[in-house]
Amino acid sequence: MPEPESPVTPVTFPPAFLWGAATSAYQIEGAVREDGRTPSIWDTFSHTPGKTAGGEHGDIAVDHYHRYRDDVALMADLGLTAYRFSVSWSRVQPTGRGPAVQRGLDFYRRLVDELLAHGIKPAVTLYHWDLPQELEDAGGWPERDTAYRFAEYAQIVGEALGDRVEQWITLNEPWCAAFLGYASGVHAPGRTDPAASLKAAHTLNLAHGLGTSALRASMPARNSVALSLNSSVVRPFSQDAADLAAAQKIDDLANGVFHGPILHGAYPQTLFTATELITDWSFVEDGDLALINQPLDALGLNYYTPALVSSADADTSGPRADGHGSSAHSPWPGADDVTFHQTPGERTEMGWTIDPTGLHDLIMRYTREAPGLPLYITENGAAYDDKPDPDGRVHDPERISYLHGHLAAVRRAIADGADVRGYYLWSLLDNFEWAYGYEKRFGAVYVDYATLERTPKSSALWYGRAARTGTLPEVHSIQ
């Protein structure tokens, strides 16, 4: 008689693990001209012909500004325990200077109160790419003064919400703000100046440091201050010296340019060498690194797909396969001698390879880079071409499989000694996906853009079950 099969051991998470979803202000709020809000760089960029798919913009987005109570109730129904959202700088401090507009702050006060009333822990991101247009007109992120304006803004929001919000994130993905905004130009403000992009990266680092200090001065000491990096998992195409050097160059430009000064108080020397023909880095002033290198309470990691790079062949041509949009201008200053390769495997609608091992590698890297620092996965998710069936249901088994694989990778990292305390699915809702307009759907909740009706996809039901049980349901458990 054959031995009975052993039951499958469920993948369980620590009891205090946060099960969250994430959004950003410009992608969901709409109401761009209400209650004193002034234009951000994304308002300007998205209304510039040719910058976004179909000329689409976030004027209405998914109208979260007016529907936030329903959205919070939806999260509660799913069983989520945390919600990460960003504050629109232009909504609370129009033009990026001067006193706060209380009507703008009141929206976030109401949102926080609604979350707490439903037992959902709020996590506030201060900057998710929507710089007030007047600050861009004054020079934007390459202008040093922008960091000081950010610190004033951080103090305003910290004073308004710090008594009820314990988790804070200064910046989301400063790499995108610096290099997609100022080098390749595929994101707002759409500039293509490699030297300016490196200055922007430094100013963003300075803004993080000054903003961290401002938050700590304006909030209870119990609150946690972090930032979210889209640190890239960079893999060499081979172990040849030239490919290893190419991987080091991209690692410096993707990761070291931020975590070097923020975590370790210094930029990588190899970064200076790689970019010496673009800038002499004289914009780094005495004392800047000490201002940037503030102690963190946690670190947020955003992950979607790994990068595979090699030294460029002399005849390399065609588009860059780096997954960061199409542009004649590179978001990698000083790295024209590097080729990006499509990694093998299944892909999402973004063309990004699905590889949960990259998330495990990323977590373990920062477990080593910053021992003792708690980690959160502040973004992870996938875009698919989701459509309702004749009964109005939205079944997305590909996203369920994606989430299962990546959450299992998080659990493996925890078993390997990583201190990962939460996971924020990107994204709660289908929304305005930046330069892609509304054609890429990352949401666990389907949004009919004509009616703005919300319909939880099967992935939302699956993820909600995981949140309620602390275990990963079988991939095919939701039909």
Side-chain angles (χ1 to χ4, degrees):
M1 176 179 286
E3 289 290 325
E5 292 186 10
S6 299
V8 176
T9 302
V11 179
T12 59
F13 284 77
F17 191 83
L18 292 180
W19 296 87
T23 63
S24 85
Y26 189 72
Q27 292 180 274
I28 66 166
E29 284 183 2
V32 296
R33 298 176 187 86
E34 293 188 33
D35 294 332
R37 184 186 180 279
T38 56
S40 76
I41 55 175
W42 269 99
D43 294 280
T44 303
F45 186 82
S46 63
H47 281 275
T48 302
K51 295 297 186 183
T52 65
E56 292 168 335
H57 49 71
D59 286 10
I60 297 173
V62 297
D63 198 32
H64 176 73
Y65 193 75
H66 299 112
R67 300 167 186 255
Y68 71 92
R69 288 188 177 90
D70 290 340
D71 291 338
V72 172
L74 192 156
M75 284 186 266
D77 287 345
L78 291 173
L80 303 192
T81 58
Y83 175 53
R84 175 183 171 231
F85 63 92
S86 79
V87 173
S88 165
W89 190 343
S90 297
R91 196 177 293 287
V92 303
Q93 194 188 27
T95 76
R97 301 176 187 274
V101 169
Q102 293 303 317
R103 289 171 298 168
L105 276 174
D106 283 345
F107 167 69
Y108 298 105
R109 291 185 177 108
R110 293 192 300 270
L111 174 58
V112 167
D113 288 346
E114 195 74 14
L115 290 164
L116 293 174
H118 284 80
I120 299 171
K121 184 183 288 289
V124 169
T125 301
L126 287 174
Y127 186 74
H128 199 128
W129 310 348
D130 47 356
L131 186 72
Q133 182 60 45
E134 289 204 15
L135 290 185
E136 172 60 24
D137 294 341
W141 283 113
E143 170 58 47
R144 182 180 179 87
D145 184 63
T146 305
Y148 291 87
R149 304 286 72 74
F150 177 79
E152 291 178 358
Y153 159 63
Q155 180 177 343
I156 288 170
V157 183
E159 289 175 348
L161 303 179
D163 61 331
R164 285 159 293 166
V165 177
E166 295 183 2
Q167 291 193 307
W168 292 78
I169 294 166
T170 53
L171 308 174
N172 178 76
E173 298 186 355
W175 184 90
C176 294
F179 297 109
L180 300 184
Y182 292 92
S184 70
V186 299
H187 277 193
R191 288 162 61 178
T192 54
D193 182 341
S197 72
L198 292 166
K199 287 184 70 176
H202 179 68
T203 308
L204 284 155
N205 285 334
L206 189 59
H208 161 73
L210 294 169
T212 296
S213 296
L215 285 174
R216 291 217 167 97
S218 60
M219 301 190 309
R222 67 174 183 271
N223 290 357
S224 167
V225 181
L227 87 160
S228 289
L229 298 176
N230 58 319
S231 294
S232 185
V233 177
V234 185
R235 294 168 173 166
F237 192 77
S238 76
Q239 293 302 303
D240 291 347
D243 289 354
L244 293 172
Q248 178 65 58
K249 182 174 288 189
I250 297 303
D251 188 77
D252 286 342
L253 287 164
N255 305 323
V257 67
F258 298 109
H259 77 223
I262 289 170
L263 296 180
H264 308 305
Y267 286 101
Q269 186 59 47
T270 45
L271 173 67
F272 293 154
T273 301
T275 57
E276 62 187 0
L277 297 181
I278 298 171
T279 180
D280 62 4
W281 291 82
S282 59
F283 47 79
V284 180
E285 298 185 5
D286 289 346
D288 280 4
L289 292 171
L291 292 173
I292 294 167
N293 183 218
Q294 299 297 314
L296 288 175
D297 300 303
L299 180 64
L301 299 176
N302 298 354
Y303 172 82
Y304 293 94
T305 191
L308 182 65
V309 303
S310 71
S311 176
D313 296 328
D315 61 352
T316 296
S317 60
R320 261 185 327 279
D322 65 355
H324 293 296
S326 176
S327 172
H329 302 273
S330 173
W332 305 101
D336 291 341
D337 57 348
V338 176
T339 295
F340 285 81
H341 299 268
Q342 284 278 16
T343 52
E346 296 182 18
R347 306 186 192 287
T348 69
E349 281 292 310
M350 296 293 289
W352 298 343
T353 303
I354 302 166
D355 188 347
T357 68
L359 179 54
H360 178 271
D361 290 351
L362 184 68
I363 293 169
M364 299 315 297
R365 174 182 185 166
Y366 281 94
T367 297
R368 296 188 298 271
E369 286 274 355
L373 188 64
L375 304 175
Y376 291 85
I377 306 308
T378 41
E379 285 185 28
N380 177 240
Y384 290 104
D385 186 19
D386 304 313
K387 293 182 174 66
D389 67 16
D391 295 324
R393 297 177 302 180
V394 184
H395 189 42
D396 56 343
E398 300 92 349
R399 185 174 289 105
I400 292 175
S401 178
Y402 181 100
L403 294 176
H404 188 284
H406 286 78
L407 281 161
V410 172
R411 187 63 187 88
R412 286 197 302 275
I414 293 172
D416 290 340
D419 184 9
V420 186
R421 300 191 180 181
Y423 175 96
Y424 292 85
L425 181 155
W426 186 270
S427 178
L428 175 66
L429 303 161
D430 290 336
N431 55 43
F432 175 75
E433 187 50 41
W434 308 113
Y436 294 97
Y438 294 93
E439 69 179 27
K440 306 295 186 186
R441 293 181 177 268
F442 276 89
V445 175
Y446 182 87
V447 178
D448 181 325
Y449 293 127
T451 66
L452 298 179
E453 180 181 359
R454 276 81 156 136
T455 302
K457 303 173 188 177
S458 54
S459 62
L461 304 178
W462 181 92
Y463 185 64
R465 184 178 294 178
R468 288 190 299 272
T469 64
T471 65
L472 297 186
E474 291 297 312
V475 170
H476 302 295
S477 61
I478 304 291
Q479 299 299 325

